[in-house]
Amino acid sequence: MFLECPIYTSIGGIVTQLLQSLFQSRAGLALAGILFVCAFAVCACAQDPSSQNTAVVSGTVVDSVTGQPLKSIEVRARSFSPGHGSPQSSSATTDAEGHFTLEVMAPGRYFFSAMRQGYVGQHISGGGSNGRALTVSPDQHTNDLVIELIPGATLSGHIKSFDGKALSGVSLEVVKYFRNGDEKQIHAVGSPAFTNSNGDYRVSGLAPGKYYVRAIAPSSSAKGASKEALPTTYYPNSTNISSASILSVRPGQDLSGMDLTITPVRAVTVSGKITQLASANPPSGAAVTLISDDSSSQVEVATDAKGNFELQAIPSRDYILVARVEPPDSKTSMLWGQRTLHVGEVNVRNANFAVGSGVPVSGRIHVDDKSNVDLTKITVDLQPDGNPSADALMPEVMSAQVRADGAFAFPSVPQGMHQVELSSLPQGYYVKSTAADPVENGLIVSQGASPPPLDIILSQNSAAISGSVSNDEMPAAGALVALLPEGSHSSHSALYKRSVADQSGRFLIKGIVPGDYKIVALLGVERGSAMDPEFLQQFEDRAESIHLQEGSTVNLTLDATPADEANQ
């Protein structure tokens, strides 16, 4: 180890000559031994990583709304600097005044985290941080770091029927839109709350954001066809989310008095018959599912031996009606079919439709510049793009591999809307939009009829954006730069591009599909939110519009916006 010591090797000639002269006498041998031990100790110290852990970071944890210090909070710092071996970590607990001190920290870039029940997020400031991260230098002493914990909001109210009677057992859900690929879906946030015997409910720990509130009454246990039903109701009094009120929730807000009245609607009977394509016999054991257009409710029945079905106590609204027959063995395909259905105030008869095993879909990929590109590594997928609950019941479509001539084929695709997705494209290529492009607009597959062959064009003339991000006239290291597509492209998650500014605030985004975009730089974005187009769209009013042509490179200078301003 001594001979490999950088201190020893840097003065190797001098040390060697000195030791050789000392070895010529007994006293010199003793002195040489002392020098050897001292040099070894110095080298060991220089090579010991703990000797470099000299930085100190201290600060305070407070409530982001009241500003009050929070005691007994564990604060953790974890490094994420690439190329510096295993991650370093440090922790401390706040005292009665909310203060903490993290000592013996190695140089690097750290994420800071602190948690307590009832709080749903955090933001840090001071010390040169940008949202959650802080760069620590050797011997640095930071004493002004402030970690603000964001308190969750509470939501409470009363649910009653139109005649003023309290409704117990009602499921109260806080929901919001999420994006799954190119599909916009509405899902509940957290677990539902249920009304008590007095019709009261309470939801706590709600993160800041924009939500809808809906109440789902329990299904009636009465036998026979009921003439009335309690529909899913959105706050303040709507049976459809399109006319419901958006609830903007701020940190720590107490939203009381969020009362809903559920008004019974006429309930009707829906009946029909399921047939099988190219067969005179009805399908055996078909499962028929009626799904509300917002996926808040669904009812399932089985067909009889003749393919007939009947659904009772169905409220007025729009639905998706799905039928499927599970295959008896692995060599047989699932039979599947669907149709839209509007239910009004009269019984629906003859809600008939057919099921089938799917139809062949084929296509070909071309390269616009006629380059000799290996297309065999490309995979084409078809993803369902309709009602999410109906899509979950749809038969899976296996991926199609592209041949050397660009041709691909799916042997059996079920009825419905599908998104066409390509993976493992050649480096630098993208799918070029054309008129009536199924890759951009989706592919509609009808029951029993194959669509025209797909014609997909690849181009290498993608665009790029470079530039810098600043915050208070200083480089905004670690800022997220998000590129948001506009117009007809806005629903395509694959077109959302992201980059993180380096230590100098510089960023680069390559491989952009030409078109119209908005670009924004954000500080303190949580990792999950950075990939959520719905979250990023909240900042469109602060974003800069930009048009990108084929093969162009644009340079921009951006000002960073704190991510927590999304809910202010």
Side-chain angles (χ1 to χ4, degrees):
M1 178 184 294
F2 176 70
L3 295 178
E4 295 176 353
C5 174
I7 295 178
Y8 179 85
T9 55
S10 64
I11 56 173
I14 299 174
V15 171
T16 301
Q17 293 177 10
L18 178 59
L19 290 178
Q20 287 177 349
S21 63
L22 291 174
F23 287 158
Q24 295 176 4
S25 67
R26 182 173 299 178
L29 283 173
L31 181 57
I34 295 173
L35 288 174
F36 187 91
V37 171
C38 292
F40 184 86
V42 171
C43 288
C45 180
Q47 295 184 60
D48 182 6
S50 64
S51 66
Q52 301 177 19
N53 298 355
T54 57
V56 177
V57 176
S58 62
T60 309
V61 179
V62 301
D63 184 298
S64 69
V65 175
T66 65
Q68 294 297 313
L70 300 174
K71 65 178 181 179
S72 302
I73 302 291
E74 184 180 22
V75 178
R76 290 182 173 271
R78 183 175 177 83
S79 70
F80 62 102
S81 300
H84 288 76
S86 59
Q88 302 290 320
S89 63
S90 183
S91 65
T93 302
T94 59
D95 60 19
E97 296 180 346
H99 296 310
F100 66 90
T101 298
L102 297 168
E103 297 179 323
V104 197
M105 296 179 66
R109 190 165 170 78
Y110 289 82
F111 271 139
F112 288 81
S113 62
M115 276 192 260
R116 172 183 274 185
Q117 186 175 4
Y119 290 84
V120 294
Q122 66 178 27
H123 178 76
I124 73 170
S125 59
S129 66
N130 49 30
R132 287 191 66 188
L134 175 68
T135 300
V136 175
S137 303
D139 298 322
Q140 176 179 334
H141 283 233
T142 300
N143 56 16
D144 60 347
L145 198 68
V146 177
I147 302 180
E148 297 177 309
L149 293 189
I150 302 172
T154 57
L155 180 71
S156 61
H158 180 79
I159 299 178
K160 63 182 179 180
S161 63
F162 76 106
D163 57 1
K165 181 181 178 180
L167 294 176
S168 63
V170 176
S171 172
L172 193 289
E173 296 181 338
V174 178
V175 300
K176 68 178 295 186
Y177 280 109
F178 292 89
R179 191 170 294 279
N180 180 13
D182 292 330
E183 189 176 345
K184 193 176 181 182
Q185 301 176 357
I186 190 164
H187 293 289
V189 177
S191 302
F194 293 89
T195 55
N196 58 21
S197 58
N198 296 321
D200 298 324
Y201 73 89
R202 181 180 177 84
V203 177
S204 58
L206 192 59
K210 294 183 178 180
Y211 305 97
Y212 298 91
V213 177
R214 72 182 177 196
I216 304 174
S219 301
S220 173
S221 60
K223 296 183 178 180
S226 174
K227 293 184 179 181
E228 288 188 337
L230 296 177
T232 297
T233 302
Y234 289 87
Y235 181 84
N237 185 25
S238 172
T239 57
N240 196 304
I241 193 170
S242 61
S243 55
S245 296
I246 298 178
L247 188 66
S248 295
V249 176
R250 299 191 302 273
Q253 190 174 12
D254 184 5
L255 294 163
S256 58
M258 303 292 295
D259 302 337
L260 291 93
T261 299
I262 302 180
T263 303
V265 297
R266 180 172 172 78
V268 302
T269 298
V270 175
S271 60
K273 184 174 184 177
I274 304 299
T275 58
Q276 183 176 344
L277 289 175
S279 175
N281 299 318
S284 175
V288 179
T289 307
L290 187 68
I291 304 170
S292 61
D293 57 348
D294 64 352
S295 297
S296 63
S297 65
Q298 61 183 58
V299 183
E300 183 173 310
V301 296
T303 59
D304 63 17
K306 296 182 179 180
N308 297 311
F309 68 91
E310 182 175 277
L311 297 153
Q312 298 180 347
I314 305 303
S316 172
R317 69 175 307 144
D318 291 324
Y319 294 90
I320 304 291
L321 195 56
V322 169
R324 67 192 191 282
V325 180
E326 297 293 339
D329 53 58
S330 59
K331 298 180 180 179
T332 310
S333 300
M334 176 190 290
L335 300 178
W336 160 270
Q338 63 177 324
R339 61 165 291 181
T340 58
L341 183 70
H342 175 73
V343 175
E345 296 188 354
V346 297
N347 293 335
V348 178
R349 306 294 183 185
N350 300 319
N352 307 331
F353 62 106
V355 293
S357 57
V359 298
V361 173
S362 62
R364 189 178 296 274
I365 296 176
H366 306 275
V367 181
D368 64 353
D369 58 4
K370 310 299 182 183
S371 299
N372 186 19
V373 177
D374 182 9
L375 302 176
T376 61
K377 296 181 180 180
I378 300 176
T379 301
V380 185
D381 287 288
L382 294 179
Q383 301 294 342
D385 189 25
N387 180 288
S389 296
D391 291 346
L393 301 175
M394 183 182 290
E396 183 182 5
V397 179
M398 301 303 293
S399 303
Q401 200 68 39
V402 180
R403 300 200 302 259
D405 62 355
F408 61 89
F410 297 91
S412 179
V413 179
Q415 171 198 11
M417 173 69 81
H418 302 265
Q419 283 294 331
V420 183
E421 298 180 356
L422 277 68
S423 58
S424 301
L425 293 178
Q427 183 69 29
Y429 283 84
Y430 68 95
V431 178
K432 188 174 182 178
S433 298
T434 59
D437 187 356
V439 178
E440 180 173 337
N441 303 318
L443 175 68
I444 300 176
V445 176
S446 301
Q447 192 70 283
S450 294
L454 305 178
D455 186 25
I456 300 174
I457 301 176
L458 300 184
S459 175
Q460 200 174 14
N461 292 323
S462 62
I465 300 176
S466 63
S468 61
V469 185
S470 62
N471 180 34
D472 292 334
E473 300 183 355
M474 295 292 292
L480 172 75
V481 180
L483 190 67
L484 293 66
E486 287 194 290
S488 61
H489 293 135
S490 61
S491 64
H492 292 258
S493 61
L495 298 183
Y496 284 76
K497 299 286 186 179
R498 303 160 188 85
S499 178
V500 177
D502 62 18
Q503 292 293 326
S504 301
R506 301 290 302 176
F507 71 92
L508 174 64
I509 304 177
K510 300 190 296 184
I512 306 171
V513 177
D516 293 316
Y517 294 85
K518 283 190 173 182
I519 188 168
V520 64
L522 303 173
L523 287 174
V525 178
E526 300 285 345
R527 182 174 299 180
S529 299
M531 304 300 292
D532 181 7
E534 201 72 32
F535 170 81
L536 296 175
Q537 286 176 348
Q538 298 179 82
F539 299 93
E540 279 193 296
D541 60 337
R542 309 185 190 194
E544 179 178 335
S545 296
I546 183 173
H547 176 74
L548 299 174
Q549 298 179 338
E550 289 188 4
S552 64
T553 299
V554 177
N555 189 272
L556 299 174
T557 300
L558 304 174
D559 291 324
T561 297
D564 55 7
E565 292 185 8
N567 303 303
Q568 295 181 1

